[in-house]
Amino acid sequence: QVQLVESGGGVVQPGGSLRLSCAASGSFFTLETTTWYRQAPGKQRELVAGLTSDGSANVADSVTGRFTISRDNGKNTVYLQMNSLKFEDTAVYYCNAQVRVSELGSLRGYWGQGTQVTVSS
């Protein structure tokens, strides 16, 4: 199995920054698409940013220019750098990774446990 461990959440003031990490461990061949989601109280889960294995990155319109997704392939870790944080960024952030367990195997998605981000004055 693959385990995703998230870290980096916390409480920050508006305009502050946080860096979330999602480290993948276990038995797998390659780490493919990695994606960050968030879910605020009373709202549906929404996609925040995604990064494919070929390096293509996309971020939601609500966070473009403020959030950056990146990956350290040597550490099998994906990051979400969050700058200029706003009240509406408050949510539980989850990472999702599509992994290939063998060279010709199928892709399967795994979820991290979530990390709380709170933006408060």
Side-chain angles (χ1 to χ4, degrees), residues 6 20 35-50 59-64 66-67 80-96 111 114-119:
E6 300 179 34
L20 306 184
T35 310
W36 286 97
Y37 295 85
R38 68 184 181 186
Q39 188 166 19
K43 297 183 179 180
Q44 297 184 9
R45 182 189 64 184
E46 64 174 330
L47 189 148
V48 178
V59 297
D61 291 340
S62 60
V63 303
T64 186
R66 301 187 297 118
F67 290 13
L80 184 67
Q81 179 66 48
M82 306 184 296
N83 299 324
S84 301
L85 285 162
K86 305 175 180 179
F87 292 124
E88 52 264 41
D89 295 320
T90 296
V92 177
Y93 285 71
Y94 300 91
C95 68
N96 175 273
W111 289 93
T115 184
Q116 177 70 50
V117 172
T118 301
V119 183

Side-chain angles (χ1 to χ4, degrees), residues 55-110:
S56 298
N58 295 103
V59 297
D61 291 340
S62 60
V63 303
T64 186
R66 301 187 297 118
F67 290 13
T68 302
I69 186 171
S70 62
R71 187 164 71 186
D72 184 334
N73 290 323
K75 297 181 179 180
N76 287 320
T77 300
V78 63
Y79 304 96
L80 184 67
Q81 179 66 48
M82 306 184 296
N83 299 324
S84 301
L85 285 162
K86 305 175 180 179
F87 292 124
E88 52 264 41
D89 295 320
T90 296
V92 177
Y93 285 71
Y94 300 91
C95 68
N96 175 273
Q98 297 291 318
V99 302
R100 195 178 301 278
V101 297
S102 64
E103 184 175 4
L104 299 178
S106 299
L107 294 174
R108 185 167 182 175
Y110 294 88

